[in-house]
Coordinates of all heavy atoms in Angstrom, one line a residue:
M1 N 163.0 120.7 -15.6 CA 163.3 121.7 -14.7 C 162.2 121.7 -13.6 O 161.0 121.7 -13.9 CB 163.3 123.1 -15.4 CG 163.6 124.2 -14.5 SD 163.8 125.7 -15.5 CE 164.1 126.8 -14.3
S2 N 162.6 121.7 -12.3 CA 161.7 121.6 -11.2 C 161.2 123.0 -10.9 O 161.9 124.0 -11.0 CB 162.4 121.0 -10.0 OG 161.6 121.1 -8.9
S3 N 159.9 123.0 -10.4 CA 159.3 124.3 -10.0 C 159.6 124.5 -8.5 O 159.2 125.5 -7.9 CB 157.9 124.4 -10.3 OG 157.2 123.3 -9.6
F4 N 160.2 123.6 -7.8 CA 160.5 123.7 -6.4 C 161.8 124.4 -6.2 O 162.8 124.1 -6.9 CB 160.5 122.3 -5.7 CG 159.2 121.6 -5.7 CD1 158.9 120.6 -6.6 CD2 158.2 122.0 -4.9 CE1 157.7 119.9 -6.6 CE2 156.9 121.4 -4.9 CZ 156.7 120.3 -5.8
P5 N 161.9 125.3 -5.2 CA 163.2 125.9 -4.9 C 164.2 124.9 -4.3 O 163.8 123.9 -3.7 CB 162.8 127.0 -3.9 CG 161.4 126.8 -3.5 CD 160.8 125.7 -4.4
E6 N 165.4 125.2 -4.5 CA 166.4 124.3 -3.9 C 166.4 124.4 -2.4 O 166.2 125.5 -1.8 CB 167.8 124.7 -4.5 CG 167.9 124.5 -6.0 CD 169.3 124.8 -6.5 OE1 170.3 124.6 -5.7 OE2 169.4 125.2 -7.7
P7 N 166.7 123.3 -1.7 CA 166.7 123.3 -0.3 C 167.6 124.3 0.4 O 167.2 124.9 1.4 CB 167.2 121.9 0.1 CG 166.9 121.0 -1.1 CD 167.0 122.0 -2.3
E8 N 168.8 124.6 -0.2 CA 169.7 125.5 0.4 C 169.1 127.0 0.3 O 169.3 127.8 1.2 CB 171.0 125.5 -0.2 CG 171.8 124.3 0.3 CD 172.4 123.5 -0.8 OE1 172.2 123.8 -2.0 OE2 173.0 122.4 -0.5
K9 N 168.3 127.2 -0.7 CA 167.7 128.6 -0.9 C 166.6 128.7 0.2 O 166.6 129.8 0.8 CB 167.1 128.7 -2.3 CG 166.5 130.1 -2.4 CD 165.8 130.2 -3.8 CE 165.2 131.6 -3.9 NZ 164.4 131.8 -5.0
I10 N 165.9 127.7 0.4 CA 164.8 127.8 1.4 C 165.5 128.0 2.8 O 165.0 128.8 3.6 CB 164.0 126.5 1.4 CG1 163.2 126.4 0.1 CG2 163.1 126.4 2.6 CD1 162.5 125.1 -0.1
E11 N 166.5 127.2 3.1 CA 167.2 127.3 4.4 C 167.8 128.7 4.6 O 167.6 129.3 5.6 CB 168.3 126.2 4.4 CG 169.1 126.2 5.7 CD 170.1 125.1 5.6 OE1 171.0 125.3 4.7 OE2 170.1 124.2 6.4
R12 N 168.5 129.2 3.6 CA 169.1 130.6 3.7 C 168.0 131.6 4.0 O 168.1 132.4 4.9 CB 169.8 130.9 2.4 CG 170.5 132.3 2.5 CD 171.3 132.6 1.2 NE 170.5 132.6 0.0 CZ 170.5 131.6 -0.9 NH1 171.4 130.6 -0.9 NH2 169.7 131.7 -2.0
E13 N 166.9 131.5 3.2 CA 165.8 132.5 3.4 C 165.2 132.4 4.8 O 164.8 133.4 5.4 CB 164.8 132.3 2.3 CG 165.3 132.8 1.0 CD 164.3 132.6 -0.2 OE1 163.2 132.0 0.1 OE2 164.6 133.0 -1.3
F14 N 165.1 131.1 5.3 CA 164.5 130.9 6.6 C 165.4 131.6 7.7 O 164.9 132.4 8.5 CB 164.4 129.4 6.9 CG 164.0 129.2 8.4 CD1 162.7 129.3 8.8 CD2 165.0 128.8 9.3 CE1 162.4 129.1 10.1 CE2 164.6 128.6 10.6 CZ 163.3 128.7 11.0
F15 N 166.7 131.3 7.6 CA 167.6 131.9 8.6 C 167.6 133.4 8.5 O 167.7 134.1 9.5 CB 169.1 131.4 8.4 CG 169.3 130.0 8.9 CD1 170.0 129.1 8.2 CD2 168.8 129.7 10.2 CE1 170.2 127.8 8.7 CE2 169.1 128.4 10.7 CZ 169.7 127.5 10.0
Q16 N 167.6 134.0 7.3 CA 167.7 135.4 7.1 C 166.4 136.1 7.4 O 166.4 137.3 7.9 CB 168.1 135.7 5.7 CG 169.6 135.3 5.4 CD 170.0 135.5 4.0 OE1 169.1 135.6 3.1 NE2 171.3 135.5 3.7
N17 N 165.3 135.5 7.3 CA 164.0 136.2 7.5 C 163.2 135.8 8.7 O 162.3 136.6 9.1 CB 163.1 135.9 6.3 CG 163.7 136.5 5.0 OD1 164.1 137.6 5.0 ND2 163.6 135.7 3.9
F18 N 163.5 134.7 9.4 CA 162.7 134.2 10.5 C 163.4 134.0 11.8 O 162.8 133.8 12.8 CB 161.9 133.0 10.1 CG 161.0 133.2 9.0 CD1 161.3 132.7 7.7 CD2 159.8 133.9 9.1 CE1 160.4 132.9 6.6 CE2 158.9 134.1 8.1 CZ 159.3 133.6 6.8
V19 N 164.7 134.1 11.8 CA 165.5 133.9 13.0 C 166.3 135.2 13.3 O 167.0 135.6 12.4 CB 166.4 132.7 12.9 CG1 167.2 132.4 14.2 CG2 165.6 131.4 12.5
D20 N 166.2 135.7 14.5 CA 166.9 136.9 14.9 C 168.2 136.5 15.6 O 168.2 136.0 16.7 CB 166.1 137.7 15.8 CG 166.7 139.0 16.2 OD1 167.8 139.4 15.6 OD2 166.2 139.7 17.1
F21 N 169.3 136.6 14.9 CA 170.6 136.2 15.4 C 171.4 137.4 16.0 O 172.4 137.2 16.6 CB 171.5 135.7 14.2 CG 171.0 134.4 13.7 CD1 170.3 134.3 12.6 CD2 171.3 133.2 14.4 CE1 169.8 133.1 12.1 CE2 170.9 132.0 13.9 CZ 170.2 131.9 12.7
R22 N 170.8 138.6 15.9 CA 171.5 139.8 16.3 C 171.9 139.7 17.8 O 171.0 139.6 18.7 CB 170.7 141.1 16.1 CG 170.5 141.4 14.6 CD 169.6 142.5 14.4 NE 168.3 142.0 14.8 CZ 167.2 142.8 14.9 NH1 167.2 144.0 14.6 NH2 166.0 142.2 15.3
G23 N 173.2 139.8 18.1 CA 173.7 139.8 19.4 C 173.6 138.5 20.2 O 173.8 138.5 21.4
K24 N 173.3 137.4 19.5 CA 173.1 136.1 20.2 C 174.3 135.3 20.2 O 175.2 135.4 19.3 CB 172.0 135.4 19.5 CG 170.6 136.1 19.4 CD 169.8 135.7 20.5 CE 168.4 136.4 20.6 NZ 167.7 136.8 19.5
R25 N 174.4 134.5 21.2 CA 175.5 133.4 21.3 C 174.8 132.2 20.7 O 173.9 131.7 21.2 CB 175.9 133.2 22.7 CG 176.5 134.4 23.4 CD 176.6 134.3 24.9 NE 175.2 134.1 25.4 CZ 175.0 133.6 26.6 NH1 175.9 133.2 27.4 NH2 173.7 133.5 27.0
V26 N 175.4 131.7 19.6 CA 174.8 130.6 18.8 C 175.7 129.4 18.7 O 176.9 129.5 18.4 CB 174.5 131.1 17.4 CG1 173.8 130.0 16.6 CG2 173.6 132.4 17.4
L27 N 175.1 128.2 19.0 CA 175.7 126.9 18.8 C 175.1 126.3 17.7 O 173.8 126.1 17.7 CB 175.6 126.1 20.1 CG 176.0 124.6 20.0 CD1 177.5 124.5 19.7 CD2 175.7 123.8 21.2
E28 N 175.8 125.8 16.7 CA 175.3 125.0 15.6 C 175.8 123.6 15.8 O 177.0 123.3 15.6 CB 175.7 125.6 14.2 CG 175.0 124.8 13.2 CD 174.9 125.5 11.8 OE1 174.9 126.7 11.7 OE2 174.8 124.7 10.8
I29 N 174.9 122.7 16.1 CA 175.2 121.3 16.2 C 175.1 120.6 14.8 O 174.1 120.8 14.1 CB 174.2 120.6 17.2 CG1 174.3 121.3 18.6 CG2 174.4 119.1 17.3 CD1 173.2 120.8 19.5
G30 N 176.1 119.9 14.5 CA 176.2 119.3 13.1 C 176.4 120.4 12.1 O 175.8 120.4 11.0
C31 N 177.4 121.2 12.4 CA 177.7 122.4 11.5 C 178.3 122.0 10.2 O 178.3 122.8 9.3 CB 178.6 123.3 12.2 SG 180.3 122.7 12.5
G32 N 178.8 120.8 10.0 CA 179.3 120.3 8.8 C 180.4 121.3 8.3 O 181.3 121.7 9.0
D33 N 180.3 121.7 7.0 CA 181.4 122.5 6.4 C 181.2 124.0 6.7 O 181.9 124.8 6.2 CB 181.4 122.3 4.9 CG 180.2 122.7 4.2 OD1 179.2 123.3 4.8 OD2 180.1 122.5 3.0
G34 N 180.2 124.3 7.6 CA 180.0 125.7 8.0 C 179.1 126.5 7.1 O 178.9 127.7 7.3
R35 N 178.6 125.9 6.0 CA 177.8 126.6 5.0 C 176.7 127.4 5.7 O 176.5 128.6 5.4 CB 177.2 125.7 4.0 CG 176.3 126.3 3.0 CD 175.8 125.3 2.0 NE 175.2 124.1 2.7 CZ 174.0 124.1 3.3 NH1 173.2 125.2 3.2 NH2 173.5 123.0 3.8
T36 N 175.9 126.8 6.5 CA 174.8 127.6 7.1 C 175.2 128.6 8.1 O 174.5 129.6 8.3 CB 173.8 126.6 7.8 OG1 174.5 125.8 8.8 CG2 173.1 125.7 6.8
M37 N 176.4 128.5 8.7 CA 176.9 129.5 9.6 C 177.1 130.8 8.9 O 177.0 131.9 9.5 CB 178.1 129.0 10.3 CG 177.9 127.8 11.2 SD 179.4 127.1 11.9 CE 179.3 127.9 13.5
G38 N 177.5 130.7 7.7 CA 177.7 131.9 6.9 C 176.5 132.8 6.7 O 176.6 133.9 6.5
Y39 N 175.3 132.2 6.9 CA 174.1 133.0 6.7 C 173.9 134.0 7.9 O 173.2 135.0 7.7 CB 172.8 132.1 6.7 CG 172.8 131.0 5.6 CD1 172.1 129.8 5.8 CD2 173.4 131.3 4.4 CE1 172.1 128.9 4.8 CE2 173.4 130.3 3.4 CZ 172.7 129.1 3.6 OH 172.7 128.2 2.6
Y40 N 174.5 133.7 9.1 CA 174.2 134.5 10.2 C 175.5 134.9 11.0 O 175.4 135.7 12.0 CB 173.3 133.8 11.2 CG 173.8 132.5 11.7 CD1 174.6 132.4 12.8 CD2 173.4 131.3 11.1 CE1 175.1 131.2 13.2 CE2 173.8 130.1 11.6 CZ 174.7 130.0 12.6 OH 175.1 128.8 13.1
A41 N 176.7 134.5 10.5 CA 177.9 134.8 11.2 C 178.1 136.3 11.5 O 178.6 136.7 12.6 CB 179.1 134.2 10.4
N42 N 177.7 137.2 10.6 CA 178.0 138.6 10.8 C 177.0 139.2 11.8 O 177.2 140.3 12.3 CB 177.9 139.3 9.5 CG 179.1 139.0 8.6 OD1 180.1 138.6 9.0 ND2 178.8 139.0 7.3
E43 N 175.9 138.6 12.1 CA 174.9 139.1 13.0 C 175.1 138.7 14.4 O 174.8 139.4 15.3 CB 173.5 138.7 12.5 CG 173.1 139.4 11.2 CD 171.6 139.1 10.9 OE1 170.8 139.1 11.8 OE2 171.4 138.8 9.7
A44 N 175.5 137.4 14.6 CA 175.6 136.8 15.9 C 176.7 137.5 16.7 O 177.7 137.9 16.1 CB 175.7 135.3 15.8
K45 N 176.6 137.5 18.0 CA 177.6 138.0 18.9 C 178.8 137.0 18.9 O 179.9 137.4 18.9 CB 177.1 138.2 20.3 CG 178.1 138.6 21.3 CD 177.4 138.8 22.6 CE 178.4 139.2 23.7 NZ 177.7 139.3 25.0
W46 N 178.4 135.7 18.9 CA 179.5 134.6 19.1 C 178.9 133.4 18.5 O 177.7 133.1 18.7 CB 179.8 134.5 20.5 CG 180.8 133.5 20.9 CD1 182.1 133.5 20.4 CD2 180.8 132.5 21.9 NE1 182.8 132.5 21.0 CE2 182.0 131.8 21.9 CE3 179.8 132.0 22.7 CZ2 182.3 130.8 22.7 CZ3 180.0 131.0 23.5 CH2 181.3 130.4 23.5
I47 N 179.6 132.6 17.7 CA 179.1 131.4 17.2 C 180.2 130.3 17.4 O 181.4 130.5 17.4 CB 178.7 131.4 15.7 CG1 179.9 131.8 14.8 CG2 177.6 132.4 15.5 CD1 179.6 131.8 13.3
V48 N 179.7 129.1 17.6 CA 180.5 127.9 17.8 C 179.8 126.8 17.0 O 178.6 126.6 17.0 CB 180.5 127.5 19.3 CG1 181.3 126.2 19.4 CG2 181.2 128.5 20.1
G49 N 180.7 126.0 16.3 CA 180.2 124.9 15.5 C 180.7 123.6 16.1 O 181.9 123.5 16.5
I50 N 179.9 122.6 16.1 CA 180.3 121.2 16.6 C 179.8 120.2 15.6 O 178.7 120.3 15.0 CB 179.8 120.9 18.0 CG1 180.4 119.6 18.6 CG2 178.3 120.9 18.1 CD1 180.1 119.4 20.1
D51 N 180.7 119.3 15.3 CA 180.4 118.2 14.3 C 181.3 117.0 14.6 O 182.4 117.2 15.2 CB 180.7 118.7 12.9 CG 179.9 117.9 11.8 OD1 180.2 116.7 11.6 OD2 178.9 118.5 11.3
N52 N 180.8 115.8 14.2 CA 181.6 114.6 14.5 C 182.4 114.2 13.3 O 183.1 113.2 13.3 CB 180.7 113.5 15.0 CG 179.7 113.0 14.0 OD1 179.6 113.6 12.9 ND2 178.9 112.1 14.4
D53 N 182.4 115.0 12.2 CA 183.2 114.6 11.0 C 184.3 115.6 10.9 O 184.2 116.8 10.6 CB 182.3 114.7 9.8 CG 182.9 114.3 8.5 OD1 184.1 114.6 8.3 OD2 182.2 113.7 7.7
R54 N 185.5 115.1 11.1 CA 186.7 115.9 11.1 C 187.0 116.6 9.8 O 187.4 117.8 9.7 CB 188.0 115.1 11.5 CG 188.0 114.7 13.0 CD 189.3 114.0 13.3 NE 189.2 113.3 14.6 CZ 189.4 113.9 15.8 NH1 189.7 115.2 15.8 NH2 189.3 113.3 16.9
D55 N 186.7 115.9 8.7 CA 186.9 116.5 7.3 C 186.0 117.7 7.1 O 186.3 118.7 6.5 CB 186.7 115.5 6.2 CG 187.7 114.4 6.2 OD1 188.9 114.7 6.7 OD2 187.5 113.3 5.8
E56 N 184.7 117.6 7.6 CA 183.8 118.7 7.5 C 184.3 119.9 8.3 O 184.2 121.0 7.9 CB 182.4 118.3 8.0 CG 181.7 117.3 7.0 CD 181.3 118.0 5.7 OE1 180.6 119.0 5.8 OE2 181.6 117.4 4.7
L57 N 184.8 119.6 9.5 CA 185.4 120.7 10.3 C 186.5 121.4 9.7 O 186.7 122.6 9.8 CB 185.7 120.2 11.7 CG 184.6 119.7 12.6 CD1 185.1 119.1 13.9 CD2 183.7 120.9 12.9
I58 N 187.4 120.7 9.0 CA 188.5 121.3 8.3 C 187.9 122.2 7.2 O 188.4 123.3 7.0 CB 189.4 120.2 7.6 CG1 190.1 119.4 8.7 CG2 190.4 120.8 6.6 CD1 190.8 118.2 8.3
A59 N 186.9 121.8 6.5 CA 186.3 122.6 5.5 C 185.7 123.9 6.1 O 185.8 125.0 5.6 CB 185.2 121.8 4.7
A60 N 185.0 123.7 7.3 CA 184.4 124.8 8.0 C 185.5 125.9 8.4 O 185.2 127.1 8.2 CB 183.6 124.3 9.2
R61 N 186.6 125.4 8.9 CA 187.6 126.3 9.3 C 188.2 127.1 8.1 O 188.5 128.3 8.2 CB 188.8 125.5 10.0 CG 188.4 125.1 11.4 CD 189.6 124.4 12.1 NE 189.2 124.0 13.4 CZ 188.9 122.7 13.7 NH1 189.0 121.8 12.8 NH2 188.5 122.4 14.9
K62 N 188.3 126.4 7.0 CA 188.7 127.1 5.7 C 187.7 128.2 5.3 O 188.1 129.3 4.9 CB 188.9 126.2 4.6 CG 190.1 125.3 4.7 CD 190.3 124.3 3.6 CE 191.4 123.4 3.8 NZ 191.5 122.4 2.7
Q63 N 186.5 127.9 5.5 CA 185.4 128.9 5.1 C 185.2 130.0 6.1 O 185.0 131.2 5.7 CB 184.1 128.1 4.9 CG 182.9 129.0 4.5 CD 181.7 128.2 4.1 OE1 181.8 127.4 3.2 NE2 180.7 128.3 4.8
L64 N 185.3 129.7 7.4 CA 184.9 130.8 8.4 C 186.1 131.2 9.3 O 185.9 132.0 10.2 CB 183.8 130.3 9.2 CG 182.5 130.2 8.5 CD1 181.4 129.4 9.2 CD2 181.9 131.5 8.1
G65 N 187.3 130.6 9.1 CA 188.4 131.0 9.8 C 188.4 131.0 11.3 O 188.5 129.9 11.9
D66 N 188.2 132.1 12.0 CA 188.4 132.2 13.4 C 187.2 131.8 14.3 O 187.2 131.9 15.5 CB 188.7 133.7 13.8 CG 187.6 134.7 13.4 OD1 186.7 134.3 12.7 OD2 187.7 135.8 13.8
V67 N 186.2 131.2 13.7 CA 185.1 130.6 14.5 C 185.5 129.4 15.2 O 186.2 128.5 14.6 CB 183.9 130.3 13.5 CG1 182.8 129.5 14.2 CG2 183.3 131.5 12.9
P68 N 185.2 129.2 16.5 CA 185.6 128.0 17.2 C 184.8 126.8 16.7 O 183.6 126.8 16.6 CB 185.2 128.3 18.6 CG 184.9 129.7 18.7 CD 184.6 130.2 17.4
F69 N 185.5 125.8 16.3 CA 184.9 124.5 15.8 C 185.4 123.4 16.7 O 186.6 123.3 17.0 CB 185.2 124.2 14.4 CG 184.6 125.1 13.4 CD1 185.3 126.2 12.8 CD2 183.2 125.0 13.1 CE1 184.7 127.0 11.9 CE2 182.6 125.9 12.2 CZ 183.4 126.9 11.6
I70 N 184.4 122.5 17.1 CA 184.7 121.5 18.0 C 184.4 120.1 17.4 O 183.3 120.0 16.9 CB 184.0 121.7 19.4 CG1 184.4 123.0 20.0 CG2 184.1 120.5 20.3 CD1 183.6 123.5 21.1
H71 N 185.2 119.1 17.6 CA 184.9 117.8 17.2 C 184.2 117.1 18.3 O 184.7 117.0 19.4 CB 186.2 117.0 16.9 CG 186.0 115.6 16.4 ND1 186.2 114.5 17.2 CD2 185.4 115.2 15.2 CE1 185.9 113.4 16.5 NE2 185.4 113.8 15.4
G72 N 182.9 116.7 18.0 CA 182.1 116.1 19.1 C 180.7 115.9 18.5 O 180.4 116.0 17.3
D73 N 179.8 115.5 19.4 CA 178.4 115.3 19.0 C 177.4 115.8 20.0 O 177.8 116.3 21.1 CB 178.2 113.8 18.8 CG 178.4 112.9 20.0 OD1 177.8 113.3 21.0 OD2 179.1 111.9 19.9
A74 N 176.1 115.8 19.6 CA 175.1 116.4 20.5 C 174.9 115.7 21.8 O 174.3 116.2 22.7 CB 173.8 116.5 19.7
A75 N 175.2 114.4 21.8 CA 175.0 113.6 23.0 C 175.9 114.1 24.2 O 175.5 113.8 25.4 CB 175.2 112.2 22.8
T76 N 177.0 114.6 23.9 CA 178.0 115.0 25.0 C 178.5 116.4 24.7 O 179.7 116.6 24.5 CB 179.1 114.0 25.0 OG1 179.8 113.9 23.8 CG2 178.6 112.6 25.5
L77 N 177.7 117.4 24.8 CA 178.1 118.8 24.5 C 179.0 119.3 25.7 O 178.6 119.1 26.8 CB 176.9 119.7 24.4 CG 176.0 119.4 23.2 CD1 174.8 120.3 23.2 CD2 176.8 119.6 21.9
P78 N 180.1 119.8 25.4 CA 181.1 120.3 26.4 C 180.9 121.7 26.9 O 181.8 122.5 27.0 CB 182.4 120.1 25.7 CG 182.1 120.5 24.3 CD 180.7 119.9 24.0
F79 N 179.6 122.1 27.1 CA 179.3 123.4 27.5 C 178.4 123.4 28.7 O 177.6 122.5 28.9 CB 178.5 124.2 26.4 CG 179.2 124.1 25.1 CD1 178.8 123.3 24.0 CD2 180.4 124.9 24.9 CE1 179.5 123.3 22.8 CE2 181.0 124.9 23.6 CZ 180.6 124.1 22.6
A80 N 178.5 124.5 29.5 CA 177.7 124.6 30.7 C 176.3 125.0 30.3 O 176.1 125.6 29.2 CB 178.3 125.7 31.6
D81 N 175.3 124.7 31.1 CA 173.9 125.2 30.8 C 173.9 126.7 30.6 O 174.7 127.4 31.2 CB 173.0 124.8 31.9 CG 172.7 123.3 32.0 OD1 173.1 122.6 31.1 OD2 172.2 122.9 33.1
S82 N 173.1 127.2 29.7 CA 172.9 128.6 29.4 C 174.1 129.3 28.8 O 174.2 130.5 28.8 CB 172.5 129.4 30.7 OG 171.3 128.8 31.2
S83 N 175.0 128.5 28.1 CA 176.1 129.0 27.4 C 175.7 129.7 26.1 O 176.5 130.6 25.6 CB 177.2 127.9 27.1 OG 177.7 127.4 28.3
F84 N 174.6 129.4 25.6 CA 174.1 129.9 24.3 C 172.7 130.4 24.4 O 171.9 129.9 25.2 CB 174.2 128.8 23.2 CG 175.6 128.3 23.0 CD1 176.1 127.2 23.7 CD2 176.5 129.0 22.2 CE1 177.4 126.8 23.6 CE2 177.8 128.6 22.0 CZ 178.2 127.5 22.7
D85 N 172.4 131.4 23.6 CA 171.0 131.9 23.5 C 170.2 131.2 22.5 O 169.0 131.1 22.6 CB 171.1 133.4 23.0 CG 171.9 134.3 23.9 OD1 171.7 134.3 25.2 OD2 172.9 134.9 23.4
L86 N 170.9 130.5 21.5 CA 170.2 129.9 20.4 C 171.0 128.7 20.0 O 172.2 128.8 19.9 CB 170.1 130.9 19.3 CG 169.3 130.6 18.0 CD1 167.8 130.3 18.4 CD2 169.4 131.8 17.1
T87 N 170.3 127.6 19.7 CA 171.0 126.4 19.2 C 170.4 126.0 17.8 O 169.1 126.0 17.7 CB 170.9 125.2 20.2 OG1 171.4 125.6 21.4 CG2 171.5 124.0 19.6
I88 N 171.2 125.8 16.9 CA 170.8 125.5 15.5 C 171.1 124.0 15.2 O 172.2 123.6 15.5 CB 171.5 126.4 14.4 CG1 171.2 127.8 14.7 CG2 171.1 126.0 13.0 CD1 169.8 128.3 14.5
L89 N 170.2 123.3 14.6 CA 170.4 121.9 14.2 C 169.7 121.8 12.8 O 168.5 121.9 12.8 CB 169.9 120.9 15.2 CG 170.0 119.5 14.8 CD1 171.5 119.0 14.8 CD2 169.2 118.6 15.8
S90 N 170.4 121.6 11.8 CA 169.8 121.5 10.5 C 170.6 120.5 9.6 O 171.8 120.4 9.7 CB 169.7 122.8 9.7 OG 170.9 123.3 9.4
W91 N 169.9 119.7 8.8 CA 170.5 118.7 7.9 C 171.4 117.7 8.7 O 172.3 117.2 8.1 CB 171.3 119.4 6.8 CG 170.5 120.3 6.0 CD1 170.4 121.7 6.1 CD2 169.6 120.0 4.9 NE1 169.6 122.2 5.2 CE2 169.1 121.2 4.4 CE3 169.2 118.8 4.3 CZ2 168.2 121.2 3.4 CZ3 168.3 118.8 3.3 CH2 167.8 120.0 2.8
S92 N 171.1 117.5 9.9 CA 171.9 116.5 10.7 C 171.1 115.4 11.2 O 169.9 115.5 11.4 CB 172.5 117.2 12.0 OG 173.3 118.3 11.6
L93 N 171.7 114.2 11.3 CA 171.1 113.0 11.7 C 171.5 112.7 13.1 O 172.5 112.9 13.5 CB 171.4 111.8 10.8 CG 171.0 112.0 9.3 CD1 171.5 110.9 8.5 CD2 169.5 112.1 9.2

């Protein structure tokens, strides 16, 4: 048994304790299955997820429903400058 906390626990605690999502427009690049978006979805004003893996986006839509998800990558974001207050990138290559 390891004495180190699981990475997802650390990540969840970081998002919940150190990032203020209240009223923010948030873009999550590499959103995957939407797991991390669930940590802040209720606080943010608006969230959008983008990922280049279609299967992950299908899973994200099942988990978060009406959140806009876009198939794409960070190199060619389809948004105007200043569209978001906060951009999240975690566990992405």
Side-chain angles (χ1 to χ4, degrees):
M1 181 173 179
S2 174
S3 61
F4 294 104
E6 294 185 30
E8 283 128 5
K9 180 180 179 190
I10 293 170
E11 182 180 63
R12 181 179 59 252
E13 289 176 358
F14 173 79
F15 282 136
Q16 291 174 342
N17 296 315
F18 297 106
V19 182
D20 183 9
F21 291 98
R22 292 173 295 174
K24 303 269 178 28
R25 299 167 298 164
V26 181
L27 171 64
E28 185 162 333
I29 299 172
C31 66
D33 65 3
R35 178 182 49 79
T36 56
M37 296 175 97
Y39 301 151
Y40 59 84
N42 292 332
E43 292 184 43
K45 177 180 180 179
W46 184 53
I47 60 176
V48 175
I50 187 167
D51 202 287
N52 63 0
D53 185 323
R54 291 185 192 275
D55 292 334
E56 290 289 311
L57 291 173
I58 290 168
R61 285 185 183 103
K62 287 179 183 175
Q63 182 169 296
L64 293 165
D66 62 349
V67 171
F69 291 102
I70 297 167
H71 181 252
D73 62 51
T76 56
L77 295 174
F79 306 106
D81 290 349
S82 301
S83 294
F84 298 93
D85 302 306
L86 186 61
T87 301
I88 302 292
L89 176 71
S90 66
W91 301 100
S92 297
L93 300 173

